[in-house]
Coordinates of all heavy atoms in Angstrom, one line a residue:
M1 N 229.5 147.5 171.2 CA 229.4 148.2 172.5 C 228.3 149.3 172.3 O 228.4 150.0 171.3 CB 230.7 148.8 172.9 CG 230.8 149.0 174.4 SD 232.5 149.6 174.8 CE 232.2 151.3 174.7
E2 N 227.5 149.5 173.3 CA 226.5 150.5 173.2 C 227.0 151.9 173.7 O 227.6 152.0 174.8 CB 225.3 150.1 174.0 CG 224.5 148.9 173.4 CD 223.1 149.2 173.2 OE1 222.5 149.8 174.1 OE2 222.5 148.9 172.2
C3 N 226.7 152.9 172.9 CA 227.1 154.2 173.4 C 225.8 155.0 173.6 O 224.7 154.5 173.3 CB 228.0 154.9 172.3 SG 227.2 155.1 170.7
I4 N 225.9 156.2 173.9 CA 224.7 157.0 174.2 C 223.8 157.2 173.0 O 222.6 157.2 173.1 CB 225.1 158.4 174.8 CG1 223.9 159.2 175.3 CG2 225.9 159.2 173.9 CD1 224.2 160.3 176.2
F5 N 224.5 157.3 171.8 CA 223.7 157.4 170.6 C 222.9 156.2 170.3 O 221.7 156.3 169.8 CB 224.6 157.8 169.4 CG 225.2 159.1 169.5 CD1 226.5 159.4 169.0 CD2 224.6 160.2 170.2 CE1 227.1 160.6 169.1 CE2 225.2 161.4 170.3 CZ 226.4 161.7 169.7
C6 N 223.5 155.0 170.5 CA 222.8 153.8 170.3 C 221.5 153.7 171.2 O 220.5 153.2 170.8 CB 223.7 152.6 170.6 SG 224.9 152.3 169.3
K7 N 221.7 154.2 172.4 CA 220.6 154.2 173.4 C 219.5 155.1 173.0 O 218.3 154.8 173.2 CB 221.1 154.5 174.8 CG 221.9 153.4 175.4 CD 222.4 153.7 176.8 CE 223.1 152.5 177.4 NZ 223.8 152.8 178.6
I8 N 219.9 156.2 172.3 CA 218.8 157.1 171.8 C 218.1 156.5 170.6 O 216.9 156.5 170.5 CB 219.5 158.5 171.4 CG1 219.9 159.2 172.7 CG2 218.5 159.3 170.6 CD1 220.8 160.4 172.4
I9 N 218.9 155.8 169.7 CA 218.3 155.2 168.6 C 217.3 154.0 169.1 O 216.2 153.9 168.5 CB 219.4 154.5 167.7 CG1 220.3 155.6 167.1 CG2 218.8 153.7 166.6 CD1 219.7 156.6 166.1
N10 N 217.8 153.3 170.1 CA 217.0 152.2 170.6 C 215.8 152.6 171.4 O 215.0 151.8 171.9 CB 217.8 151.2 171.4 CG 218.9 150.5 170.5 OD1 218.7 150.4 169.3 ND2 220.0 150.1 171.1
G11 N 215.7 153.9 171.7 CA 214.7 154.4 172.6 C 214.9 154.2 174.0 O 214.0 154.4 174.8
E12 N 216.1 153.8 174.4 CA 216.4 153.7 175.8 C 216.5 155.0 176.5 O 216.3 155.2 177.7 CB 217.7 152.8 176.0 CG 217.5 151.4 175.7 CD 218.9 150.7 175.7 OE1 219.6 150.8 176.6 OE2 219.2 150.0 174.7
I13 N 216.9 156.0 175.7 CA 217.0 157.4 176.2 C 215.9 158.1 175.4 O 216.0 158.2 174.2 CB 218.4 158.0 176.0 CG1 219.4 157.2 176.9 CG2 218.3 159.5 176.4 CD1 220.8 157.7 176.7
P14 N 215.0 158.7 176.0 CA 213.9 159.4 175.3 C 214.5 160.6 174.6 O 215.4 161.3 175.1 CB 212.9 159.9 176.4 CG 213.5 159.5 177.7 CD 214.8 158.8 177.5
S15 N 214.0 160.9 173.4 CA 214.4 162.1 172.6 C 213.3 162.6 171.8 O 212.3 161.8 171.5 CB 215.6 161.7 171.7 OG 215.2 160.8 170.7
Y16 N 213.3 163.8 171.4 CA 212.3 164.4 170.5 C 212.7 164.3 169.1 O 213.6 165.1 168.7 CB 212.0 165.8 171.0 CG 210.9 166.5 170.3 CD1 209.5 166.2 170.7 CD2 211.1 167.3 169.2 CE1 208.5 166.8 170.0 CE2 210.0 167.9 168.5 CZ 208.7 167.6 168.9 OH 207.7 168.2 168.2
T17 N 212.2 163.4 168.3 CA 212.6 163.2 167.0 C 212.1 164.2 166.0 O 210.9 164.5 166.0 CB 212.2 161.8 166.5 OG1 212.7 160.8 167.4 CG2 212.8 161.5 165.1
I18 N 212.9 164.8 165.2 CA 212.5 165.8 164.3 C 212.4 165.2 162.9 O 211.5 165.5 162.1 CB 213.5 167.0 164.2 CG1 213.5 167.7 165.6 CG2 213.2 168.0 163.1 CD1 214.7 168.7 165.7
Y19 N 213.4 164.4 162.6 CA 213.5 163.7 161.3 C 214.1 162.4 161.4 O 215.0 162.2 162.3 CB 214.3 164.6 160.3 CG 214.6 164.0 159.0 CD1 213.6 164.0 158.0 CD2 215.8 163.3 158.8 CE1 213.9 163.4 156.8 CE2 216.1 162.7 157.5 CZ 215.1 162.7 156.5 OH 215.4 162.1 155.4
E20 N 213.7 161.4 160.6 CA 214.2 160.1 160.7 C 214.1 159.4 159.4 O 213.1 159.5 158.7 CB 213.5 159.3 161.8 CG 214.1 158.0 162.2 CD 213.4 157.4 163.4 OE1 212.3 157.9 163.8 OE2 213.9 156.4 164.0
N21 N 215.1 158.7 159.0 CA 215.0 157.7 157.9 C 215.7 156.5 158.2 O 216.1 156.2 159.4 CB 215.5 158.4 156.6 CG 217.0 158.7 156.5 OD1 217.7 158.1 157.3 ND2 217.4 159.5 155.7
D22 N 216.0 155.6 157.2 CA 216.6 154.3 157.5 C 218.0 154.4 158.1 O 218.4 153.5 158.8 CB 216.7 153.5 156.2 CG 215.3 153.0 155.8 OD1 214.4 153.1 156.6 OD2 215.1 152.6 154.6
M23 N 218.7 155.5 157.8 CA 220.1 155.6 158.2 C 220.4 156.6 159.3 O 221.4 156.4 160.0 CB 220.9 155.9 156.9 CG 220.8 154.9 155.9 SD 221.9 155.2 154.5 CE 223.5 154.7 155.2
V24 N 219.6 157.6 159.4 CA 219.9 158.7 160.3 C 218.7 159.1 161.1 O 217.5 158.8 160.7 CB 220.5 159.9 159.7 CG1 221.9 159.6 159.0 CG2 219.6 160.5 158.7
K25 N 218.9 159.7 162.2 CA 217.9 160.3 163.1 C 218.3 161.6 163.5 O 219.4 161.8 164.0 CB 217.6 159.3 164.2 CG 216.6 159.8 165.3 CD 216.6 158.8 166.4 CE 215.7 159.3 167.6 NZ 214.4 158.7 167.7
A26 N 217.4 162.6 163.4 CA 217.6 163.9 163.9 C 216.7 164.2 165.0 O 215.5 163.9 165.0 CB 217.4 165.0 162.8
F27 N 217.3 164.7 166.1 CA 216.4 164.9 167.3 C 216.9 166.2 168.0 O 218.0 166.7 167.9 CB 216.5 163.7 168.2 CG 217.9 163.4 168.7 CD1 218.3 163.9 170.0 CD2 218.8 162.7 168.0 CE1 219.6 163.7 170.5 CE2 220.1 162.5 168.4 CZ 220.5 162.9 169.7
L28 N 216.0 166.6 168.9 CA 216.3 167.8 169.7 C 217.0 167.4 170.9 O 216.5 166.5 171.7 CB 215.0 168.5 170.1 CG 214.5 169.7 169.2 CD1 213.3 170.3 169.9 CD2 215.6 170.7 169.0
D29 N 218.1 167.9 171.1 CA 218.8 167.7 172.4 C 218.2 168.6 173.4 O 218.4 169.8 173.4 CB 220.3 168.0 172.2 CG 221.1 167.7 173.5 OD1 220.5 167.4 174.5 OD2 222.3 167.8 173.4
I30 N 217.4 168.0 174.3 CA 216.6 168.8 175.2 C 217.3 169.1 176.6 O 216.7 169.6 177.5 CB 215.2 168.2 175.5 CG1 215.4 166.7 175.9 CG2 214.3 168.4 174.3 CD1 214.1 166.1 176.3
S31 N 218.6 168.8 176.7 CA 219.3 169.1 177.9 C 219.4 170.6 178.0 O 219.6 171.3 177.0 CB 220.7 168.4 177.9 OG 221.5 169.0 177.0
P32 N 219.3 171.1 179.3 CA 219.3 172.5 179.5 C 220.5 173.2 179.0 O 220.5 174.4 178.5 CB 219.2 172.7 181.0 CG 218.9 171.3 181.5 CD 219.2 170.3 180.5
V33 N 221.6 172.5 178.9 CA 222.9 173.1 178.5 C 222.9 173.5 177.0 O 223.4 174.5 176.6 CB 224.1 172.1 178.8 CG1 225.4 172.8 178.6 CG2 224.0 171.5 180.1
S34 N 222.3 172.6 176.2 CA 222.4 172.8 174.8 C 221.3 173.6 174.2 O 221.3 174.1 173.1 CB 222.4 171.4 174.1 OG 221.2 170.8 174.3
N35 N 220.2 173.8 175.0 CA 219.2 174.8 174.7 C 218.5 174.5 173.3 O 218.4 175.3 172.4 CB 219.8 176.2 174.6 CG 218.9 177.2 175.1 OD1 217.7 176.9 175.5 ND2 219.3 178.5 175.2
G36 N 218.0 173.3 173.2 CA 217.3 172.9 172.0 C 218.0 172.8 170.7 O 217.6 173.0 169.6
H37 N 219.3 172.4 170.8 CA 220.1 172.1 169.7 C 219.7 170.8 169.0 O 219.3 169.9 169.6 CB 221.6 172.0 170.1 CG 222.6 172.1 169.0 ND1 222.9 173.2 168.4 CD2 223.3 171.1 168.5 CE1 223.8 172.9 167.5 NE2 224.1 171.6 167.5
T38 N 219.7 170.9 167.6 CA 219.4 169.7 166.9 C 220.6 168.8 166.6 O 221.7 169.3 166.2 CB 218.8 170.0 165.5 OG1 217.7 170.9 165.8 CG2 218.3 168.8 164.8
L39 N 220.5 167.5 166.9 CA 221.6 166.6 166.7 C 221.2 165.6 165.6 O 220.0 165.1 165.6 CB 222.0 165.8 167.9 CG 222.7 166.6 169.1 CD1 222.9 165.7 170.3 CD2 224.0 167.2 168.6
I40 N 222.1 165.3 164.7 CA 221.8 164.2 163.7 C 222.8 163.1 163.9 O 224.0 163.3 163.9 CB 221.9 164.8 162.3 CG1 220.9 166.0 162.1 CG2 221.6 163.7 161.3 CD1 221.2 166.8 160.9
I41 N 222.3 161.9 164.1 CA 223.2 160.8 164.3 C 222.9 159.6 163.4 O 221.7 159.4 163.1 CB 223.1 160.4 165.8 CG1 221.7 160.0 166.2 CG2 223.7 161.4 166.7 CD1 221.6 159.4 167.6
P42 N 223.9 158.8 163.1 CA 223.6 157.6 162.3 C 223.0 156.6 163.1 O 223.2 156.5 164.3 CB 225.0 157.2 161.8 CG 225.9 157.8 162.8 CD 225.3 159.0 163.4
K43 N 222.2 155.7 162.5 CA 221.5 154.6 163.2 C 222.5 153.5 163.4 O 222.3 152.7 164.4 CB 220.3 154.2 162.5 CG 219.2 155.2 162.5 CD 217.9 154.6 162.1 CE 216.7 155.5 162.5 NZ 215.4 155.0 162.1
K44 N 223.5 153.4 162.5 CA 224.5 152.4 162.7 C 225.5 152.9 163.7 O 225.8 154.1 163.8 CB 225.2 152.2 161.4 CG 225.0 150.8 160.8 CD 226.0 150.5 159.7 CE 225.9 151.4 158.4 NZ 226.9 151.2 157.4
H45 N 226.1 152.0 164.5 CA 227.1 152.4 165.5 C 228.4 152.6 164.8 O 228.9 151.8 164.1 CB 227.2 151.4 166.6 CG 228.3 151.7 167.6 ND1 228.1 152.6 168.6 CD2 229.6 151.3 167.6 CE1 229.2 152.8 169.2 NE2 230.2 152.0 168.7
F46 N 229.0 153.8 165.1 CA 230.3 154.1 164.6 C 231.2 154.5 165.9 O 230.7 155.2 166.7 CB 230.4 155.2 163.6 CG 229.7 154.8 162.3 CD1 228.4 155.2 162.0 CD2 230.4 154.0 161.4 CE1 227.8 154.8 160.8 CE2 229.8 153.7 160.2 CZ 228.5 154.1 159.9
E47 N 232.4 154.0 165.9 CA 233.2 154.3 167.0 C 233.5 155.8 167.0 O 233.6 156.5 168.1 CB 234.5 153.5 167.0 CG 234.4 152.1 167.5 CD 233.8 152.0 168.9 OE1 234.2 152.8 169.8 OE2 232.9 151.2 169.1
N48 N 233.7 156.4 165.8 CA 233.9 157.8 165.7 C 233.5 158.2 164.3 O 233.2 157.4 163.4 CB 235.4 158.2 166.0 CG 236.3 157.5 165.1 OD1 236.3 157.8 163.9 ND2 237.2 156.7 165.7
L49 N 233.5 159.5 164.1 CA 233.0 160.1 162.8 C 233.9 159.6 161.6 O 233.3 159.5 160.5 CB 233.1 161.6 162.9 CG 232.0 162.3 163.8 CD1 232.2 163.8 163.8 CD2 230.6 161.9 163.4
Y50 N 235.1 159.3 161.9 CA 236.0 158.9 160.8 C 235.7 157.5 160.3 O 236.1 157.1 159.2 CB 237.5 159.0 161.2 CG 237.8 160.4 161.7 CD1 237.9 160.6 163.1 CD2 237.8 161.5 160.9 CE1 238.2 161.9 163.6 CE2 238.0 162.8 161.4 CZ 238.2 163.0 162.8 OH 238.5 164.2 163.3
D51 N 235.0 156.7 161.1 CA 234.6 155.4 160.7 C 233.3 155.3 159.9 O 233.0 154.3 159.3 CB 234.4 154.5 161.9 CG 235.7 154.1 162.6 OD1 236.8 154.3 161.9 OD2 235.7 153.7 163.7
M52 N 232.7 156.5 159.8 CA 231.4 156.6 159.1 C 231.6 156.3 157.6 O 232.5 156.9 157.0 CB 230.8 157.9 159.4 CG 229.4 157.8 159.9 SD 228.8 159.5 160.2 CE 229.0 159.6 162.0
D53 N 230.7 155.6 157.0 CA 230.8 155.4 155.6 C 230.2 156.6 154.8 O 229.5 157.4 155.4 CB 230.1 154.0 155.1 CG 228.7 154.0 155.5 OD1 227.9 154.7 154.9 OD2 228.3 153.2 156.4
E54 N 230.5 156.6 153.5 CA 230.1 157.8 152.7 C 228.6 158.0 152.6 O 228.1 159.1 152.7 CB 230.7 157.7 151.3 CG 231.8 158.7 151.1 CD 232.5 158.4 149.7 OE1 231.7 158.5 148.7 OE2 233.7 158.2 149.7
E55 N 227.9 156.9 152.5 CA 226.5 157.0 152.3 C 225.9 157.6 153.6 O 225.0 158.4 153.5 CB 225.9 155.6 152.1 CG 224.4 155.6 151.8 CD 224.0 156.4 150.6 OE1 224.8 156.6 149.6 OE2 222.9 157.0 150.6
T56 N 226.3 157.2 154.8 CA 225.8 157.7 156.0 C 226.1 159.2 156.1 O 225.3 160.0 156.5 CB 226.4 156.9 157.2 OG1 226.1 155.5 157.1 CG2 225.8 157.4 158.5
L57 N 227.3 159.5 155.8 CA 227.7 161.0 155.8 C 226.8 161.8 154.9 O 226.4 162.9 155.3 CB 229.2 161.1 155.4 CG 230.2 160.8 156.5 CD1 231.6 160.8 155.9 CD2 230.1 161.8 157.6
K58 N 226.5 161.3 153.7 CA 225.7 162.0 152.8 C 224.3 162.2 153.4 O 223.7 163.2 153.3 CB 225.6 161.1 151.5 CG 226.0 161.9 150.3 CD 225.8 161.1 149.0 CE 227.1 160.2 148.7 NZ 226.8 159.3 147.6
Q59 N 223.8 161.1 154.0 CA 222.5 161.2 154.6 C 222.4 162.3 155.7 O 221.5 163.0 155.9 CB 222.1 159.8 155.3 CG 221.8 158.8 154.2 CD 220.5 159.0 153.5 OE1 219.5 159.5 154.1 NE2 220.4 158.6 152.3
I60 N 223.5 162.3 156.5 CA 223.6 163.3 157.6 C 223.6 164.7 157.0 O 222.9 165.6 157.5 CB 224.8 163.0 158.5 CG1 224.5 161.8 159.3 CG2 225.1 164.2 159.4 CD1 225.6 161.4 160.2
E61 N 224.4 164.9 156.0 CA 224.5 166.2 155.3 C 223.1 166.6 154.8 O 222.7 167.7 155.0 CB 225.4 166.1 154.1 CG 226.7 166.9 154.2 CD 227.7 166.6 153.1 OE1 227.3 166.9 152.0 OE2 228.8 166.2 153.4
T62 N 222.4 165.7 154.1 CA 221.1 166.0 153.6 C 220.1 166.3 154.7 O 219.4 167.3 154.6 CB 220.6 164.8 152.8 OG1 221.6 164.4 151.8 CG2 219.3 165.1 152.1
A63 N 220.2 165.6 155.8 CA 219.2 165.8 156.8 C 219.5 167.1 157.6 O 218.6 167.7 158.2 CB 219.3 164.6 157.8
S64 N 220.7 167.6 157.5 CA 221.0 168.8 158.3 C 220.8 170.1 157.5 O 221.0 171.2 157.9 CB 222.5 168.8 158.8 OG 223.3 168.6 157.7
Q65 N 220.2 170.0 156.2 CA 220.0 171.1 155.4 C 218.5 171.6 155.6 O 217.7 170.9 156.0 CB 220.2 170.8 154.0 CG 221.7 171.0 153.7 CD 222.1 170.3 152.3 OE1 221.2 169.9 151.6 NE2 223.4 170.2 152.1
Ligands
LIG101 ZN1 226.8 153.4 169.4

């Protein structure tokens, strides 16, 4: 099932990419509410954060530093 993050990864929703590798993508959330907040999301679809595998979590941690 496609969620909003999948659509961002697939480019169906435009985003301003700051950083990207094989597993994760960091982008600027440009909605007026969030005011330029950076979001880091896995490229693989996960139903929720608890389903995320360790390697992906590590990548997100690394990317957010
Ligand atoms: Zn998804």
Side-chain angles (χ1 to χ4, degrees):
M1 207 176 90
E2 290 233 318
C3 62
I4 188 164
F5 292 149
C6 290
K7 287 182 178 169
I8 290 168
I9 298 292
N10 294 336
E12 289 170 50
I13 296 173
S15 65
Y16 185 81
T17 305
I18 296 167
Y19 173 81
E20 189 172 12
N21 66 19
D22 288 345
M23 298 184 77
V24 297
K25 175 184 171 105
F27 61 97
L28 264 187
D29 183 352
I30 49 172
S31 71
V33 192
S34 65
N35 218 356
H37 192 76
T38 306
L39 290 177
I40 303 164
I41 58 175
K43 291 196 165 178
K44 244 194 295 179
H45 175 83
F46 293 99
E47 282 307 315
N48 60 62
L49 290 179
Y50 307 106
D51 286 344
M52 233 179 259
D53 59 71
E54 249 175 58
E55 185 57 32
T56 303
L57 279 172
K58 237 183 272 172
Q59 289 288 325
I60 287 177
E61 246 172 61
T62 307
S64 55
Q65 277 164 10

